[in-house]
Amino acid sequence: MTVRARTGSMKAAFLISASLLVAPAVHAQSTDSAAPADEQQTDQDIVVVGTQIRNSQVAGQLPVSVIGKDDMDAIAATSGSDLIAALPSNGTMNFNGTDTVSGGVHSARGDISSVNLRSIGSGNTLVLLNGRRLVQHPGNQTEDSVPVATVNMNALPVTGIERLEVLHDGASAIYGSDAVAGVINTVLDTKFEGMQLSGELGFAENTSKVKLRGEFQGGWTFNDGRTNVSLALSYYQASRVWAHELDYAGTSDRRPFVEGTEFEGDTGFDNRSSSAPWGQFTASSRVTGLTSSAGVFHIQPATVAGCRAALGTGLCIDDGSLDRDLRFDINRSRTMGPGVKRGNAFLFLNHDFGGVQFYGEAGYYRARTDEYRGESSILSSAQFNISKDAYWNPLGAVGNPNRLAGFNIPAEGLDVTLTNYRVVDAGLRHIRVDNDSFRFLGGLRGDFGNWSWDGAVLYSEATTNDITFDRVSNSLFHQALNRTDASAYNPFNGGDIANPNWGDTTPNSQATIDSFLVDIGRFGKTTLALADFKLSNGNLISLPAGDVGAALGVEWRRQSYLEDYDDRLDGTINYVDALTGDIVNESDVMGSSVAADSSGSRNVYSAFAELAVPLVSRDMDVPLIRKLDLQIAGRFEHYSDVGSVFRPKFALSWYPIDQLQFRGSYAEGFRAPNLEQLNNEVTTRVSTVIDYYRCQASVNKGDTANLGACVGNDRVEERRFGNVDLKPETNVSYSFGAVLTPARRLTLTVDYWHIKQRNLVGIFGAENLAALDYVSRTQGNGGLPGILRADPTADDIAYYQGSGLNPLGEIIQIDDLFTNLDTRTSAGIDLGLYYTIPDTPVGKFNIKLNASYIDKAYQGLSEQAQQIRDTLGEVVPLEAIGDLVERNGRPKWQASGTLTWSNKGWSVGLFGRYVGKYFDTGIVQDDTGANWKVKDNFTMNLYVQKRFEDGPLEGSRIRFGVRNLLDTKPPFLDATYGYDAKLHSAEGRFFYTSVQASF
């Protein structure tokens, strides 16, 4: 059974009735309303995120939630990404190790996941480990066309986590840069005692996926209890999954999946590649009866209509471009989930010197992933000239054994340009990524008088070594093409006649193929050095309402990064024409654009202060104010590269009655440009854009309904330039909400939040620039200077005839600059319900529910964007501009929750996750202008376990569980694998068994 078959209302009813509508968050506030809050046994004493004041009550004034051990059991997480995905306030996981095809070697690949609270983008959430920053992951990638960096959530261990604390509030005044949407703090068990060994094995029902996990946790106390050493080790292994194992992922032609809908037959769902083993060529001059007027021809099976000349062995030559039916089904030769091997180790040392405590931690993480990607194909900017003397050239000189007869080919032959081709016989590209990181921290803490002090030094480093085996060197391939004997590479021999959309049954010799294969690497390194000193006093001065708490501190940190691409990628070794010696392209790797090496570092000096001020207490008997508290904080940070910034924060908590709390906050925040945005000379990517000028010609001729029906099919090189003059992004956020505790064990919460970001770092975008180029030309101003076009060919001239427009060549290159753009406003509501049912004769029940609703996500229109909108209206969608709610991975609703039962060592846990619908703006229905609707989705996990409380197995447990109990498929989407890997999972019903022994 799947939830797809249900209607939205039936889903909602089922979710509510099952008490599984929302997030696995334990509210940081007490659920006991029978006693005053300051006398209750609450969770507040464990929550550190949101305040630097030790043992402060401030946490209860803020929207803080905690994922505890029971929640983690129900979530059944095997990685940090599983925990983050369980948060309904988290949006798309843009770094996910799966959806990395579009960026190729330029993407952050491997064992990687990111966090995106409030759906305002990766890098806007500060991630801490035991209250201090984590090093950034070395592999950055583009998001909204801008390189962004993130902490790798998969580098966090699942073993030994005490809790995961989430602050859903801006906190730059407390913690500094990046805490725009909130803070996530992972708290490890640093003083474990005893020994615990566990193992887990599981398999997926819908694929060949197998997972294996082993964990050890040990802790020893000695020196009369003054010293504790604890160790946590974990190993995780998962097998790779091929795309062809799932119907919706295994083919790039997804038109069959939209049959019966208004999008039936829409070629936008046909993602097969025009780069195929059926080579496409342009002769140096036209050959009558064989090529188009511009000399264009291609290879195809003789069974396909349009043959102009037979090549033998069932092949022929046809003029013009490749027929759609011969496009290559690239997903048949891809893995959609890499094989993963991951290890984590953490060592903790705590020692009490008597009045002063030392604490230290050492952590190490290593992961290796292996995956396969389709065969290499050429870029339009890196085409290949084949000499008239080349052995396999069918238009070669007289005497060439492969020269075609019966056509008016000059005796000296014709040179030919290979314009589009996939080197299928060279085999798949094997990608191996090694991620490593380590972290050392040592600190001292103590007390003098009412003051607590804490100081520490930290150093952390992360590296990524991304190697792709069996890539194609452009230069070496060009040499192989132009050999004059039979050892030359033959691009004229086609693919598989019986299966023209995949495979190649006419491969070249392995020796010829090996002559141009190379291994290509990308190495990245990031470092974080930090030293801080903090003072905290919960009883600074006494006011009528209580004691004022205070904290202040200073911090220094140094961040650095290094991006080192292979010499064939960074411009050191160029693609050189074997015939002329000219540089054709700066990159010598087939299918990859050039990427410059880059590096940078910065020093940051900061100071903060925080006050917790009680204004009214219960003892004061003020009408309608049982308790009123204020938090005031401010932080100053000076960056060695972008200047200084100061940001304040204010938070207020008001109890009109003991059972009801109103809370609110106002915060100003900032995010400094990352080091790559500042220091990278140029980032080159291959983008697919719509040439609206060319499309207008089609509209004028009646071949296309309107500009909104245009399809992006122009592959261009987009050059994005770093900018040392970038300013920090700033933001203003506020929130207000209520916490209602109508019964002793029941808590209800509602919080409204609003974030306005200014000076967002970004670029206008290749798609938007192509539209702006069209607007400029139609207004008689000529094209944009940053857009480079080829000279119009004879085919281009023929295409524009009858359109009333002057013919133009195709777009080759688009230039754009990182800059501070306009504002983005985001707002929403968080809802929560937490209920512990009083003990019953059949056991104890616990319900934890939470939901997140996005009310507003609006990207302001720049002057350029407004110019496009004024000219073209809504018919041309602007890239990442305007109203973003329910568009491209931003559903209005997300929710999840846990329901647990326990009795006499037995326990059962249910976890449910709901993701609402949204629309894919990349697909437009020709007649109605509608976008493809990505349906809502609900998944559920279940586990049953027995914990032995006495006897020889005392302290041990055995668990049986099922992830995705309902075997729910991810909603269909025209994406790389047929679903949104940034938001959903393709893992079907997954069975697992785990055992744990304690000593």
Side-chain angles (χ1 to χ4, degrees):
M1 147 177 115
T2 70
V3 180
R4 272 182 192 276
R6 304 176 183 267
T7 65
S9 59
M10 292 176 64
K11 290 179 188 175
F14 177 72
L15 293 174
I16 294 171
S17 64
S19 296
L20 291 169
L21 182 62
V22 268
V26 182
H27 184 57
Q29 177 141 338
S30 171
T31 59
D32 186 348
S33 60
D38 53 5
E39 297 177 9
Q40 297 169 8
Q41 181 62 37
T42 74
D43 286 334
Q44 293 176 11
D45 56 355
I46 68 168
V47 174
V48 300
V49 70
T51 180
Q52 300 277 15
I53 303 174
R54 189 174 178 185
N55 296 325
S56 171
Q57 300 295 313
V58 169
Q61 303 168 20
L62 303 172
V64 176
S65 58
V66 176
I67 297 178
K69 291 184 177 180
D70 289 343
D71 305 299
M72 287 185 272
D73 288 343
I75 295 168
T78 58
S79 64
S81 61
D82 293 337
L83 288 177
I84 298 304
L87 293 170
S89 58
N90 190 64
T92 53
M93 191 173 292
N94 296 305
F95 293 72
N96 56 65
T98 298
D99 193 14
T100 58
V101 170
S102 59
V105 70
H106 304 301
S107 293
R109 303 190 290 198
D111 184 44
I112 171 76
S113 67
S114 59
V115 62
N116 181 15
L117 289 182
R118 306 304 190 199
S119 293
I120 64 174
S122 305
N124 282 285
T125 302
L126 181 62
V127 183
L128 308 174
L129 178 64
N130 292 332
R132 287 183 169 87
R133 287 176 177 261
L134 284 157
V135 67
Q136 297 280 342
H137 181 70
N140 62 74
Q141 66 184 34
T142 58
E143 189 172 312
D144 293 333
S145 300
V146 178
V148 295
T150 182
V151 168
N152 182 7
M153 301 304 294
N154 281 354
L156 296 173
V158 176
T159 305
I161 292 183
E162 187 70 25
R163 62 192 181 274
L164 190 74
E165 304 169 347
V166 184
L167 172 64
H168 305 279
D169 201 23
S172 293
I174 305 293
Y175 297 105
S177 179
D178 303 337
V180 178
V183 181
I184 292 180
N185 181 36
T186 302
V187 181
L188 302 181
D189 187 352
T190 62
K191 295 183 179 180
F192 185 83
E193 293 191 29
M195 288 190 294
Q196 187 171 279
L197 186 66
S198 61
E200 180 179 306
L201 179 65
F203 63 92
E205 187 178 51
N206 64 336
T207 66
S208 59
K209 188 78 164 185
V210 176
K211 295 181 181 180
L212 170 69
R213 185 165 60 147
E215 300 171 346
F216 170 81
Q217 196 170 5
W220 303 269
T221 300
F222 44 93
N223 284 342
D224 297 324
R226 294 165 54 203
T227 305
N228 175 269
V229 176
S230 58
L231 175 67
L233 303 173
S234 66
Y235 176 78
Y236 168 81
Q237 183 172 329
S239 59
R240 73 176 67 94
V241 174
W242 292 90
H244 60 70
E245 296 185 50
L246 296 172
D247 56 354
Y248 56 84
T251 177
S252 301
D253 185 3
R254 300 196 173 89
R255 288 175 294 177
F257 296 96
V258 298
E259 291 179 356
T261 73
E262 62 179 329
F263 293 87
E264 183 171 347
D266 192 327
T267 56
F269 287 92
D270 184 4
N271 298 312
R272 292 175 300 174
S273 175
S274 60
S275 295
W278 310 105
Q280 300 169 66
F281 308 85
T282 300
S284 55
S285 66
R286 176 184 183 182
V287 178
T288 303
L290 185 66
T291 73
S292 72
S293 58
V296 176
F297 69 96
H298 67 269
I299 309 300
Q300 66 180 30
T303 54
V304 176
C307 287
R308 302 288 180 175
L311 290 176
T313 65
L315 300 177
C316 73
I317 289 178
D318 188 11
D319 62 355
S321 58
L322 193 71
D323 299 337
R324 177 174 292 275
D325 290 341
L326 294 178
R327 292 189 174 190
F328 194 73
D329 195 348
I330 51 180
N331 272 26
R332 293 190 61 180
S333 50
R334 283 176 174 169
T335 49
M336 62 177 297
V340 181
K341 295 180 180 179
R342 178 196 308 139
N344 288 93
F346 272 87
L347 177 67
F348 303 99
L349 172 63
N350 295 276
H351 180 74
D352 188 350
F353 287 100
V356 175
Q357 294 84 42
F358 170 82
Y359 58 95
E361 67 179 58
Y364 180 70
Y365 153 82
R366 178 173 175 82
R368 167 170 287 186
T369 60
D370 283 280
E371 59 184 309
Y372 289 86
R373 188 175 177 186
E375 305 85 350
S376 297
S377 61
I378 69 177
L379 298 178
S380 58
S381 60
Q383 299 174 350
F384 297 87
N385 293 323
I386 301 175
S387 168
K388 55 183 175 292
D389 298 321
Y391 184 80
W392 296 107
N393 186 349
L395 309 185
V398 172
N400 187 314
N402 297 293
R403 177 184 168 95
L404 284 173
F407 292 92
N408 188 24
I409 303 172
E412 66 275 15
L414 295 174
D415 295 334
V416 170
T417 300
L418 177 59
T419 59
N420 207 351
Y421 186 68
R422 185 174 297 273
V423 194
V424 174
D425 54 1
L428 303 181
R429 288 170 282 178
H430 174 203
I431 302 166
R432 188 183 70 196
V433 182
D434 290 326
N435 288 332
D436 292 82
S437 68
F438 63 84
R439 172 184 170 104
F440 294 106
L441 180 146
L444 297 170
R445 64 168 66 101
D447 301 289
F448 60 93
N450 290 332
W451 288 92
S452 298
W453 58 271
D454 186 340
V457 293
L458 175 154
Y459 181 78
S460 186
E461 185 175 295
T463 59
T464 293
N465 194 18
D466 183 324
I467 299 177
T468 306
F469 303 96
D470 298 330
R471 294 298 303 268
V472 175
S473 161
N474 285 328
S475 296
L476 298 178
F477 183 69
H478 193 245
Q479 294 173 20
L481 286 171
N482 283 283
R483 292 176 189 146
T484 57
D485 57 28
S487 69
Y489 184 85
N490 181 9
F492 303 95
N493 63 2
D496 184 350
I497 295 175
N499 186 10
N501 302 118
W502 187 69
D504 186 354
T505 56
T506 57
N508 284 264
S509 72
Q510 192 60 48
T512 297
I513 293 171
D514 289 342
S515 70
F516 53 73
L517 293 182
V518 293
D519 298 335
I520 300 298
R522 173 190 180 189
F523 176 79
K525 177 181 176 181
T526 53
T527 67
L528 170 66
L530 182 148
D532 63 14
F533 184 77
K534 297 177 282 190
L535 293 170
S536 175
N537 188 338
N539 311 102
L540 181 63
I541 58 174
S542 294
L543 297 178
D547 295 329
V548 174
L552 62 155
V554 293
E555 179 185 280
W556 164 84
R557 65 180 184 270
R558 183 181 188 277
Q559 299 167 285
S560 72
Y561 92 103
L562 168 69
E563 190 81 77
D564 184 10
Y565 282 92
D566 193 278
D567 286 351
R568 295 184 184 272
L569 273 175
D570 65 11
T572 302
I573 300 176
N574 306 126
Y575 166 25
V576 177
D577 190 302
L579 303 175
T580 66
D582 296 332
I583 295 178
V584 179
N585 196 283
E586 291 183 90
S587 170
D588 190 45
V589 181
M590 181 178 289
S592 293
S593 51
V594 68
D597 295 340
S598 61
S599 62
S601 64
R602 64 160 52 116
N603 287 282
V604 184
Y605 305 89
S606 62
F608 77 92
E610 179 188 357
L611 290 174
V613 184
L615 302 177
V616 178
S617 69
R618 292 177 174 85
D619 297 335
M620 297 172 70
D621 293 325
V622 177
L624 295 179
I625 306 180
R626 294 288 289 157
K627 187 172 175 59
L628 184 65
D629 297 290
L630 174 68
Q631 179 196 32
I632 305 174
R635 188 180 186 99
F636 171 84
E637 290 205 340
H638 173 73
Y639 290 77
S640 59
D641 48 6
V642 294
S644 302
V645 65
F646 173 78
R647 286 293 179 265
K649 177 174 183 176
F650 306 91
L652 190 68
S653 170
W654 167 39
Y655 282 86
I657 58 176
D658 286 337
Q659 292 79 17
L660 178 63
Q661 176 197 24
F662 293 104
R663 60 190 180 190
S665 69
Y666 170 87
E668 297 181 12
F670 61 95
R671 185 176 72 148
N674 65 49
L675 292 171
E676 174 127 350
Q677 293 167 356
L678 292 166
N679 296 285
N680 192 13
E681 293 182 9
V682 62
T683 300
T684 305
R685 298 291 185 267
V686 177
S687 300
T688 301
V689 301
I690 300 173
D691 186 348
Y692 286 102
Y693 185 87
R694 184 179 183 89
C695 185
Q696 184 64 62
S698 179
V699 173
N700 292 352
K701 293 188 296 181
D703 297 333
T704 302
N706 53 57
L707 289 178
C710 298
V711 178
N713 52 15
D714 285 12
R715 288 168 56 83
V716 305
E717 281 199 346
E718 184 184 0
R719 299 195 304 173
R720 306 157 186 168
F721 297 90
N723 186 355
V724 295
D725 295 323
L726 288 172
K727 300 175 182 178
E729 300 176 359
T730 61
N731 70 86
V732 173
S733 65
Y734 61 85
S735 67
F736 53 85
V739 181
L740 176 64
T741 311
R744 176 181 177 87
R745 300 174 183 270
L746 174 64
T747 298
L748 305 171
T749 68
V750 57
D751 289 282
Y752 173 84
W753 54 271
H754 184 281
I755 303 172
K756 187 170 185 177
Q757 300 167 273
R758 298 183 176 90
N759 295 327
L760 288 175
V761 175
I763 61 175
F764 192 51
E767 190 81 11
N768 292 337
L769 284 170
L772 188 62
D773 180 76
Y774 165 78
V775 170
S776 177
R777 291 181 182 278
T778 57
Q779 292 178 346
N781 299 322
L784 299 183
I787 293 185
L788 177 65
R789 290 178 178 268
D791 294 331
T793 65
D795 286 349
D796 292 328
I797 295 172
Y799 178 86
Y800 279 92
Q801 282 183 352
S803 69
L805 299 179
N806 294 325
L808 294 177
E810 65 178 357
I811 299 175
I812 298 175
Q813 182 177 288
I814 296 178
D815 290 347
D816 212 342
L817 176 71
F818 302 144
T819 187
N820 291 104
L821 297 174
D822 297 284
T823 63
R824 178 182 294 169
T825 303
S826 306
I829 299 173
D830 292 333
L831 302 168
L833 182 153
Y834 314 96
Y835 186 39
T836 301
I837 299 176
D839 290 350
T840 70
V842 295
K844 181 179 180 181
F845 295 86
N846 196 21
I847 302 172
K848 302 167 186 178
L849 313 171
N850 199 329
S852 179
Y853 173 80
I854 296 180
D855 177 62
K856 186 175 186 179
Y858 187 84
Q859 176 69 52
L861 274 67
S862 66
E863 182 179 346
Q864 293 175 315
Q866 192 63 56
Q867 186 179 357
I868 297 174
R869 182 60 51 81
D870 291 343
T871 304
L872 302 175
E874 301 287 342
V875 69
V876 173
L878 294 171
E879 184 181 13
I881 289 176
D883 186 6
L884 306 179
V885 176
E886 288 195 328
R887 291 175 57 187
N888 304 324
R890 281 186 177 86
K892 282 187 178 180
W893 282 102
Q894 286 199 76
S896 61
T898 57
L899 169 63
T900 58
W901 166 84
S902 59
N903 186 34
K904 298 180 181 179
W906 287 95
S907 59
V908 177
L910 280 170
F911 166 74
R913 179 179 181 233
Y914 173 79
V915 178
K917 65 177 175 63
Y918 63 91
F919 295 89
D920 176 11
T921 62
I923 295 293
V924 181
Q925 214 282 333
D926 292 346
D927 297 325
T928 65
N931 297 129
W932 176 259
K933 178 182 176 181
V934 182
K935 296 180 180 179
D936 55 356
N937 184 254
F938 175 67
T939 56
M940 180 184 291
N941 298 343
L942 168 70
Y943 78 87
V944 179
Q945 75 174 26
K946 169 63 176 176
R947 186 174 295 276
F948 300 93
E949 300 175 346
D950 50 32
L953 297 178
E954 181 180 357
S956 301
R957 64 124 173 102
I958 183 168
R959 176 186 299 162
F960 300 95
V962 184
R963 301 186 186 101
N964 193 1
L965 179 67
L966 305 178
D967 195 24
T968 307
K969 290 183 179 181
F972 177 75
L973 172 68
D974 185 39
T976 302
Y977 299 110
Y979 76 103
D980 191 346
K982 300 175 182 178
L983 199 59
H984 298 286
S985 171
E987 187 172 276
R989 188 180 289 117
F990 189 94
F991 300 92
Y992 69 94
T993 301
S994 69
V995 294
Q996 183 181 91
S998 299
F999 307 94

